[in-house]
Amino acid sequence: MATVCTLAWVHGLVQGVGFRYSTQREGLKLGLTGYARNMDDGSVEVLACGEAEQVEKLVAWLKAGGPRSARVDKVLTEPHQPDRQWKDFSIRY
């Protein structure tokens, strides 16, 4: 299977509610690599790499609202060609 990468920006009440940790847990469960990190504008950036079907499952989870404590208003995505390989799914600061 070919590896695909998707970059997503999640907007809403997504900082300070465990969003990155829940996203990391979901990404690892799906066998993905990449990261989740808070952005200065209050959004969370998520890079997900792996089998296309698994990446789509994570994007669907993000669009469905992520963890219960979060409120997702919108999710923007675009295909991405990373300049490095990710070994796991991490939280970046």
Side-chain angles (χ1 to χ4, degrees), residues 18-54:
F19 196 90
R20 290 174 300 159
Y21 297 97
S22 296
T23 302
Q24 178 189 39
R25 188 170 54 248
E26 197 69 19
L28 290 170
K29 188 169 82 175
L30 293 169
L32 301 175
T33 61
Y35 64 82
R37 72 173 169 183
N38 286 342
M39 303 301 288
D40 290 340
D41 66 358
S43 66
V44 172
E45 180 182 81
V46 177
L47 173 66
C49 299
E51 294 178 16
E53 184 178 331
Q54 299 302 87

Side-chain angles (χ1 to χ4, degrees), residues 3-81:
T3 297
V4 300
C5 293
T6 295
L7 200 50
W9 295 273
V10 186
H11 297 268
L13 179 60
V14 293
Q15 289 191 12
V17 294
F19 196 90
R20 290 174 300 159
Y21 297 97
S22 296
T23 302
Q24 178 189 39
R25 188 170 54 248
E26 197 69 19
L28 290 170
K29 188 169 82 175
L30 293 169
L32 301 175
T33 61
Y35 64 82
R37 72 173 169 183
N38 286 342
M39 303 301 288
D40 290 340
D41 66 358
S43 66
V44 172
E45 180 182 81
V46 177
L47 173 66
C49 299
E51 294 178 16
E53 184 178 331
Q54 299 302 87
V55 171
E56 282 305 313
K57 284 181 183 177
L58 182 65
V59 170
W61 180 84
L62 294 171
K63 289 181 177 179
R68 278 192 302 237
S69 54
R71 186 195 77 241
V72 173
D73 295 334
K74 69 179 174 180
V75 178
L76 306 173
T77 62
E78 68 179 37
H80 184 67
Q81 293 292 348

